[in-house]
Amino acid sequence: MTIAPTKDKATTNIGVSKPRVDVREKVTGAAIFTDDVQFGAGLLHARAKRSPYAHALIKRIDISKAKALPGVKVVVTGEDFPNRTGLYLRDRFIFARDRVRFVGEAVAGVAAVSEEIADKAVDLIEVEYEPLPGVHDPVYGASSEAPLVHPDLGSYEWPNFIFPVPGTNISNHFKVRKGDVDSVWEKCAAVVEYTFRVPHVQHVPIEPHVAIAKVDDEGNVTLWASSQSPFAQRNLIAKSLDIPESKIRVIAPLIGGGFGCKAGVTMEAIPVAIALKAKGHPVKFRLTREEEFYTNFVRQGLVAQIKVGCDKDGNLLGLQNTMYWDGGGYTDYGVNITRAGGYSGSGPFDCPNVKVDSLCVYTNHPVGGAYRGFGMSEVHTGIVQAMDMLAEKIGMDRVEFLKKNVVQEGDKILTGMTMHKTGIKECIDKAAQAINWGVKEPNSAPNKLRGKGIAVMWKAPAMPPNAGSSALIKLNEDASVTVMIGGQEIGQGTFTAMAQIAAEALGVPFESVKVKGPIDTQYSPYEWQTVASRLTWSMGNAVRNAALDARRRILDMVAEAWGENVEDLDIKDGYVISYKTEESISLKNIVVYGIPKPNDEGWIGGPVVGSGNFMPTYVTGLDKETGQGERAVVHYTTGAQAVDLEVDLDTGQITILKAVSAFDVGKAINPDLVRAQIEGGFVQGMSSAIFEEMKLVNGHMQNPSFVDYRIATSADVPEKIEAIIVEAPQDDGPFGARGIGEHPMVPTIAALANAIYNATGVRVPHPPLSAEKIYLAMLDAGIVK
């Protein structure tokens, strides 16, 4: 076959909204939790005995009655599993041993032939506790007066970028010192000082946590889990149970909602531990909805004490931010949220003098873990409101104030890192323009007050400096392409994006690319975790490299067969073409069987498999005392969000008339998926801003159900949501791309709070920004009577 090749002939796969890959066709056994259908009559059901105390010593556990109950096969306690576990700080046991540190902590586990029998057995377990004084506020918890939640903190294991303070409740103290902030306040024309509080919230995935573990007679472990972190789970469970990683296999089908709560290890080690005592029996452990609310990861609470000042022209001079993170009873994941809060603790602002103290504090609250935004929503709630207050105090337009002070390419940010290219000013301009910023528009009714607010954000992928990705590309006889990855599809469209990257780099139609699932640590290439909005960037680089490797192998084969230079060849739409001779050949068959030599003298080539990996090698350590270093993070995604809303004077209810989000994504691999993330992120951010709060009283959650824990529904979604894509290419991203999964909900609380203030003249700084809270604030201010 001969074609007329041109270098721009093929349709590009990048920057085009390709249809979402239908992973259902490719994920064999996606509906894994079908009990007896898949796992047989030997399936056991596990339940956990949980602590009713927020803080107490365990004096005695009697499991004899539970073991004697017919139908019970296994009963275990913390005495059976002495090793600690944890992703960044090994501070927790699978089952509590010496003491309990939050309400709902597992102290024993049961496996029985039915869940009902398991529940009865749990009730028969007798535990004697000695209650201890609790810590229920992080500021108090960080003080010398607070009782110690972890007296043995100094004996725990942690990496060199986490800084615990043994003998206190501070499990990580991350510091940033840039310039001399203490000397600058007297030089400021205006200073704002305020304390902001952000409550705990729950991820509330539609699918609660569920995992099934089976141990065969040779000690090989298979874990099926609703997981964002199958490789991390394999690693952590292996260490905590002294099992070689080669003997643990984790299978992670599609997830019914994650948002960070299914990252790391939370409940997944429990069925594995129990299954070790019931070899040959699959053990299923499923959290109830109530357990999902407070026995697993939650978003940490935060108390942020912020002081910021500027000169008469609105230039920032000093910023001080002291953050007390309510890490809960264990902070194995929370310490890294604190670290991320620290190196992002100035917000996306260029300020010559910065002092940040980010403290992760043990309390007797539910365990804080990864949540969409990884601490950035909480950080920006205070910083961006403080900037809004400072702009008003100096008498400057908010948009102009933000544009004057946001970071730009070449700036030295708070950690000393040089800022890369960013489109944040363009984001501000486009968001402001979309809501007619500066135009006072009429209220819709006499009892309504109308206002507009704007907020900015930045977020870096919060991860270890050496978090890696890998990928395999396999070509089939019909020239279809199989992509094998270790990153998880959690609804964000990563399988589709990876298919597009592979197709573009290899030179084949998108429709011919299939992504292999489910993720299986025995067969899938390694991926650190599906967190941090890093997959498009990190795993995308690995997929691109694997595709380029496969492409090189194909072109080398054809160049040898045709006697041409590789530089004269290309792959377009599934054909190898020569720009020199205008010859072409389909990839069909040759990518498996190769190409025959002339005169039947043998063959060239063979089955084509491409491999690729990616790991950032340039992230440097930061000084423990100053937080300074050459490169703190891989990059920052930046953006802006603006809202136009009305407040009802009779009820305090807010109505969002229009919400606009503009984000610099580097390069939109799939614009439709990017817009979907931006829109969905705003709605989730709005939900956490207006409705959501875990009401904790002495460590006990008062609203662990959807009856009392309100989340946004379709009825709450604003009629107008506009998503704006800005593209300032990332130098090390695949085709210039950066992640966008978490970022759209980061500035929402601040944007809404600023808009409410603009409408009413009353600052309601602490979420949730409920109708009741707004109305009472207006009442106190004399706006309503």
mmCIF file of all heavy atoms in Angstrom, residues 459-494:
data_model
loop_
_atom_site.group_PDB
_atom_site.id
_atom_site.type_symbol
_atom_site.label_atom_id
_atom_site.label_comp_id
_atom_site.label_asym_id
_atom_site.label_seq_id
_atom_site.Cartn_x
_atom_site.Cartn_y
_atom_site.Cartn_z
ATOM 1 N N LYS A 459 -1.705 24.229 44.281
ATOM 2 C CA LYS A 459 -1.533 22.920 44.920
ATOM 3 C C LYS A 459 -0.473 22.137 44.164
ATOM 4 O O LYS A 459 -0.497 22.070 42.937
ATOM 5 C CB LYS A 459 -2.831 22.111 44.942
ATOM 6 C CG LYS A 459 -2.669 20.772 45.635
ATOM 7 C CD LYS A 459 -3.861 19.858 45.497
ATOM 8 C CE LYS A 459 -3.616 18.547 46.243
ATOM 9 N NZ LYS A 459 -2.433 17.798 45.732
ATOM 10 N N ALA A 460 0.438 21.553 44.915
ATOM 11 C CA ALA A 460 1.449 20.664 44.351
ATOM 12 C C ALA A 460 1.069 19.223 44.661
ATOM 13 O O ALA A 460 0.377 18.958 45.650
ATOM 14 C CB ALA A 460 2.819 20.972 44.960
ATOM 15 N N PRO A 461 1.505 18.267 43.828
ATOM 16 C CA PRO A 461 1.306 16.856 44.203
ATOM 17 C C PRO A 461 2.053 16.565 45.499
ATOM 18 O O PRO A 461 3.273 16.718 45.568
ATOM 19 C CB PRO A 461 1.918 16.092 43.020
ATOM 20 C CG PRO A 461 1.878 17.051 41.877
ATOM 21 C CD PRO A 461 2.119 18.399 42.501
ATOM 22 N N ALA A 462 1.326 16.183 46.534
ATOM 23 C CA ALA A 462 1.927 15.908 47.840
ATOM 24 C C ALA A 462 2.340 14.446 47.878
ATOM 25 O O ALA A 462 1.498 13.556 47.974
ATOM 26 C CB ALA A 462 0.943 16.223 48.959
ATOM 27 N N MET A 463 3.635 14.206 47.790
ATOM 28 C CA MET A 463 4.123 12.832 47.664
ATOM 29 C C MET A 463 5.584 12.788 48.079
ATOM 30 O O MET A 463 6.248 13.819 48.178
ATOM 31 C CB MET A 463 3.965 12.367 46.217
ATOM 32 C CG MET A 463 4.757 13.193 45.232
ATOM 33 S SD MET A 463 4.388 12.777 43.524
ATOM 34 C CE MET A 463 5.817 13.526 42.714
ATOM 35 N N PRO A 464 6.124 11.598 48.315
ATOM 36 C CA PRO A 464 7.562 11.490 48.562
ATOM 37 C C PRO A 464 8.343 11.961 47.337
ATOM 38 O O PRO A 464 7.795 11.996 46.224
ATOM 39 C CB PRO A 464 7.767 9.987 48.803
ATOM 40 C CG PRO A 464 6.424 9.447 49.115
ATOM 41 C CD PRO A 464 5.443 10.300 48.392
ATOM 42 N N PRO A 465 9.591 12.302 47.500
ATOM 43 C CA PRO A 465 10.358 12.814 46.362
ATOM 44 C C PRO A 465 10.616 11.784 45.276
ATOM 45 O O PRO A 465 10.982 12.158 44.154
ATOM 46 C CB PRO A 465 11.675 13.271 47.007
ATOM 47 C CG PRO A 465 11.783 12.492 48.269
ATOM 48 C CD PRO A 465 10.385 12.312 48.748
ATOM 49 N N ASN A 466 10.422 10.498 45.579
ATOM 50 C CA ASN A 466 10.741 9.454 44.612
ATOM 51 C C ASN A 466 9.542 8.570 44.279
ATOM 52 O O ASN A 466 9.691 7.369 44.033
ATOM 53 C CB ASN A 466 11.890 8.593 45.124
ATOM 54 C CG ASN A 466 11.557 7.911 46.451
ATOM 55 O OD1 ASN A 466 10.674 8.357 47.186
ATOM 56 N ND2 ASN A 466 12.260 6.850 46.759
ATOM 57 N N ALA A 467 8.341 9.133 44.276
ATOM 58 C CA ALA A 467 7.150 8.362 43.921
ATOM 59 C C ALA A 467 7.161 8.085 42.418
ATOM 60 O O ALA A 467 7.172 9.006 41.611
ATOM 61 C CB ALA A 467 5.889 9.123 44.312
ATOM 62 N N GLY A 468 7.156 6.817 42.041
ATOM 63 C CA GLY A 468 7.346 6.446 40.645
ATOM 64 C C GLY A 468 6.126 5.843 39.987
ATOM 65 O O GLY A 468 5.157 5.436 40.630
ATOM 66 N N SER A 469 6.189 5.794 38.654
ATOM 67 C CA SER A 469 5.143 5.208 37.819
ATOM 68 C C SER A 469 5.794 4.328 36.764
ATOM 69 O O SER A 469 6.939 4.566 36.359
ATOM 70 C CB SER A 469 4.322 6.299 37.108
ATOM 71 O OG SER A 469 3.705 7.177 38.018
ATOM 72 N N SER A 470 5.058 3.322 36.303
ATOM 73 C CA SER A 470 5.547 2.477 35.216
ATOM 74 C C SER A 470 4.369 2.035 34.360
ATOM 75 O O SER A 470 3.217 2.083 34.792
ATOM 76 C CB SER A 470 6.314 1.263 35.757
ATOM 77 O OG SER A 470 5.498 0.493 36.634
ATOM 78 N N ALA A 471 4.672 1.614 33.143
ATOM 79 C CA ALA A 471 3.617 1.223 32.205
ATOM 80 C C ALA A 471 4.174 0.252 31.179
ATOM 81 O O ALA A 471 5.382 0.239 30.892
ATOM 82 C CB ALA A 471 3.046 2.457 31.506
ATOM 83 N N LEU A 472 3.292 -0.564 30.636
ATOM 84 C CA LEU A 472 3.619 -1.477 29.550
ATOM 85 C C LEU A 472 2.653 -1.252 28.401
ATOM 86 O O LEU A 472 1.456 -1.010 28.623
ATOM 87 C CB LEU A 472 3.545 -2.929 30.007
ATOM 88 C CG LEU A 472 4.574 -3.389 31.056
ATOM 89 C CD1 LEU A 472 4.239 -4.802 31.534
ATOM 90 C CD2 LEU A 472 5.976 -3.351 30.476
ATOM 91 N N ILE A 473 3.153 -1.341 27.191
ATOM 92 C CA ILE A 473 2.336 -1.240 25.978
ATOM 93 C C ILE A 473 2.543 -2.521 25.181
ATOM 94 O O ILE A 473 3.683 -2.856 24.831
ATOM 95 C CB ILE A 473 2.755 -0.029 25.120
ATOM 96 C CG1 ILE A 473 2.586 1.268 25.907
ATOM 97 C CG2 ILE A 473 1.997 -0.010 23.804
ATOM 98 C CD1 ILE A 473 1.246 1.908 25.836
ATOM 99 N N LYS A 474 1.480 -3.220 24.896
ATOM 100 C CA LYS A 474 1.560 -4.460 24.125
ATOM 101 C C LYS A 474 0.733 -4.313 22.859
ATOM 102 O O LYS A 474 -0.430 -3.897 22.921
ATOM 103 C CB LYS A 474 1.036 -5.638 24.960
ATOM 104 C CG LYS A 474 1.130 -6.989 24.270
ATOM 105 C CD LYS A 474 0.611 -8.112 25.150
ATOM 106 C CE LYS A 474 -0.907 -8.051 25.285
ATOM 107 N NZ LYS A 474 -1.458 -9.234 25.982
ATOM 108 N N LEU A 475 1.321 -4.652 21.708
ATOM 109 C CA LEU A 475 0.585 -4.605 20.448
ATOM 110 C C LEU A 475 0.131 -5.998 20.056
ATOM 111 O O LEU A 475 0.870 -6.985 20.224
ATOM 112 C CB LEU A 475 1.445 -3.995 19.335
ATOM 113 C CG LEU A 475 1.544 -2.461 19.436
ATOM 114 C CD1 LEU A 475 2.765 -2.036 20.209
ATOM 115 C CD2 LEU A 475 1.488 -1.813 18.078
ATOM 116 N N ASN A 476 -1.076 -6.074 19.546
ATOM 117 C CA ASN A 476 -1.687 -7.343 19.163
ATOM 118 C C ASN A 476 -1.692 -7.514 17.650
ATOM 119 O O ASN A 476 -1.457 -6.569 16.898
ATOM 120 C CB ASN A 476 -3.112 -7.398 19.721
ATOM 121 C CG ASN A 476 -3.155 -7.130 21.214
ATOM 122 O OD1 ASN A 476 -2.458 -7.786 21.983
ATOM 123 N ND2 ASN A 476 -3.933 -6.132 21.626
ATOM 124 N N GLU A 477 -2.023 -8.725 17.202
ATOM 125 C CA GLU A 477 -1.949 -9.032 15.773
ATOM 126 C C GLU A 477 -2.756 -8.072 14.921
ATOM 127 O O GLU A 477 -2.362 -7.738 13.791
ATOM 128 C CB GLU A 477 -2.421 -10.478 15.510
ATOM 129 C CG GLU A 477 -1.523 -11.557 16.086
ATOM 130 C CD GLU A 477 -1.893 -11.965 17.498
ATOM 131 O OE1 GLU A 477 -2.495 -11.143 18.222
ATOM 132 O OE2 GLU A 477 -1.575 -13.100 17.892
ATOM 133 N N ASP A 478 -3.910 -7.655 15.407
ATOM 134 C CA ASP A 478 -4.778 -6.780 14.618
ATOM 135 C C ASP A 478 -4.408 -5.309 14.763
ATOM 136 O O ASP A 478 -5.170 -4.434 14.371
ATOM 137 C CB ASP A 478 -6.238 -6.992 15.006
ATOM 138 C CG ASP A 478 -6.516 -6.669 16.479
ATOM 139 O OD1 ASP A 478 -5.546 -6.346 17.212
ATOM 140 O OD2 ASP A 478 -7.685 -6.750 16.895
ATOM 141 N N ALA A 479 -3.253 -5.045 15.336
ATOM 142 C CA ALA A 479 -2.727 -3.697 15.551
ATOM 143 C C ALA A 479 -3.455 -2.950 16.664
ATOM 144 O O ALA A 479 -3.253 -1.757 16.843
ATOM 145 C CB ALA A 479 -2.725 -2.865 14.272
ATOM 146 N N SER A 480 -4.290 -3.650 17.401
ATOM 147 C CA SER A 480 -4.852 -3.025 18.605
ATOM 148 C C SER A 480 -3.763 -2.951 19.665
ATOM 149 O O SER A 480 -2.767 -3.677 19.626
ATOM 150 C CB SER A 480 -6.054 -3.815 19.117
ATOM 151 O OG SER A 480 -5.674 -5.127 19.493
ATOM 152 N N VAL A 481 -3.962 -2.051 20.628
ATOM 153 C CA VAL A 481 -2.927 -1.763 21.621
ATOM 154 C C VAL A 481 -3.502 -1.965 23.021
ATOM 155 O O VAL A 481 -4.582 -1.455 23.340
ATOM 156 C CB VAL A 481 -2.418 -0.314 21.479
ATOM 157 C CG1 VAL A 481 -1.357 -0.014 22.524
ATOM 158 C CG2 VAL A 481 -1.876 -0.069 20.075
ATOM 159 N N THR A 482 -2.787 -2.708 23.824
ATOM 160 C CA THR A 482 -3.166 -2.904 25.227
ATOM 161 C C THR A 482 -2.216 -2.115 26.114
ATOM 162 O O THR A 482 -0.996 -2.279 26.038
ATOM 163 C CB THR A 482 -3.121 -4.390 25.611
ATOM 164 O OG1 THR A 482 -4.014 -5.122 24.767
ATOM 165 C CG2 THR A 482 -3.539 -4.581 27.063
ATOM 166 N N VAL A 483 -2.793 -1.241 26.939
ATOM 167 C CA VAL A 483 -2.012 -0.442 27.875
ATOM 168 C C VAL A 483 -2.180 -1.038 29.264
ATOM 169 O O VAL A 483 -3.303 -1.215 29.742
ATOM 170 C CB VAL A 483 -2.466 1.028 27.876
ATOM 171 C CG1 VAL A 483 -1.661 1.837 28.888
ATOM 172 C CG2 VAL A 483 -2.326 1.632 26.483
ATOM 173 N N MET A 484 -1.066 -1.328 29.914
ATOM 174 C CA MET A 484 -1.095 -1.887 31.266
ATOM 175 C C MET A 484 -0.492 -0.867 32.219
ATOM 176 O O MET A 484 0.645 -0.423 32.026
ATOM 177 C CB MET A 484 -0.327 -3.206 31.309
ATOM 178 C CG MET A 484 -0.885 -4.250 30.347
ATOM 179 S SD MET A 484 0.061 -5.781 30.336
ATOM 180 C CE MET A 484 -0.342 -6.436 31.958
ATOM 181 N N ILE A 485 -1.270 -0.489 33.220
ATOM 182 C CA ILE A 485 -0.861 0.531 34.177
ATOM 183 C C ILE A 485 -1.218 0.069 35.582
ATOM 184 O O ILE A 485 -1.983 -0.877 35.772
ATOM 185 C CB ILE A 485 -1.538 1.892 33.881
ATOM 186 C CG1 ILE A 485 -3.061 1.720 33.797
ATOM 187 C CG2 ILE A 485 -0.977 2.506 32.614
ATOM 188 C CD1 ILE A 485 -3.820 3.010 33.564
ATOM 189 N N GLY A 486 -0.696 0.791 36.570
ATOM 190 C CA GLY A 486 -1.005 0.473 37.962
ATOM 191 C C GLY A 486 -1.828 1.520 38.665
ATOM 192 O O GLY A 486 -2.157 1.373 39.835
ATOM 193 N N GLY A 487 -2.165 2.606 37.935
ATOM 194 C CA GLY A 487 -3.006 3.653 38.506
ATOM 195 C C GLY A 487 -4.469 3.287 38.395
ATOM 196 O O GLY A 487 -4.893 2.619 37.445
ATOM 197 N N GLN A 488 -5.256 3.758 39.345
ATOM 198 C CA GLN A 488 -6.643 3.334 39.466
ATOM 199 C C GLN A 488 -7.606 4.305 38.795
ATOM 200 O O GLN A 488 -7.406 5.524 38.810
ATOM 201 C CB GLN A 488 -6.998 3.187 40.949
ATOM 202 C CG GLN A 488 -8.395 2.701 41.256
ATOM 203 C CD GLN A 488 -8.680 1.313 40.723
ATOM 204 O OE1 GLN A 488 -8.798 1.117 39.513
ATOM 205 N NE2 GLN A 488 -8.778 0.338 41.608
ATOM 206 N N GLU A 489 -8.649 3.756 38.224
ATOM 207 C CA GLU A 489 -9.769 4.546 37.699
ATOM 208 C C GLU A 489 -10.779 4.739 38.828
ATOM 209 O O GLU A 489 -11.384 3.779 39.299
ATOM 210 C CB GLU A 489 -10.418 3.823 36.519
ATOM 211 C CG GLU A 489 -11.660 4.499 35.965
ATOM 212 C CD GLU A 489 -11.373 5.890 35.418
ATOM 213 O OE1 GLU A 489 -10.627 6.019 34.444
ATOM 214 O OE2 GLU A 489 -11.927 6.848 35.996
ATOM 215 N N ILE A 490 -10.936 5.994 39.268
ATOM 216 C CA ILE A 490 -11.880 6.287 40.349
ATOM 217 C C ILE A 490 -12.946 7.273 39.874
ATOM 218 O O ILE A 490 -13.500 8.026 40.664
ATOM 219 C CB ILE A 490 -11.158 6.810 41.608
ATOM 220 C CG1 ILE A 490 -10.263 8.012 41.291
ATOM 221 C CG2 ILE A 490 -10.351 5.713 42.261
ATOM 222 C CD1 ILE A 490 -9.606 8.622 42.520
ATOM 223 N N GLY A 491 -13.194 7.269 38.566
ATOM 224 C CA GLY A 491 -14.204 8.158 38.019
ATOM 225 C C GLY A 491 -13.646 9.410 37.398
ATOM 226 O O GLY A 491 -14.384 10.198 36.804
ATOM 227 N N GLN A 492 -12.331 9.619 37.520
ATOM 228 C CA GLN A 492 -11.716 10.835 37.015
ATOM 229 C C GLN A 492 -11.373 10.739 35.533
ATOM 230 O O GLN A 492 -10.973 11.723 34.913
ATOM 231 C CB GLN A 492 -10.474 11.189 37.844
ATOM 232 C CG GLN A 492 -9.182 10.422 37.502
ATOM 233 C CD GLN A 492 -9.109 9.037 38.084
ATOM 234 O OE1 GLN A 492 -10.074 8.281 38.047
ATOM 235 N NE2 GLN A 492 -7.950 8.674 38.609
ATOM 236 N N GLY A 493 -11.488 9.535 34.946
ATOM 237 C CA GLY A 493 -11.227 9.377 33.523
ATOM 238 C C GLY A 493 -9.786 9.091 33.188
ATOM 239 O O GLY A 493 -9.364 9.299 32.047
ATOM 240 N N THR A 494 -9.018 8.577 34.150
ATOM 241 C CA THR A 494 -7.595 8.362 33.888
ATOM 242 C C THR A 494 -7.357 7.307 32.822
ATOM 243 O O THR A 494 -6.395 7.396 32.050
ATOM 244 C CB THR A 494 -6.843 8.008 35.192
ATOM 245 O OG1 THR A 494 -5.456 8.172 34.988
ATOM 246 C CG2 THR A 494 -7.139 6.587 35.658
#
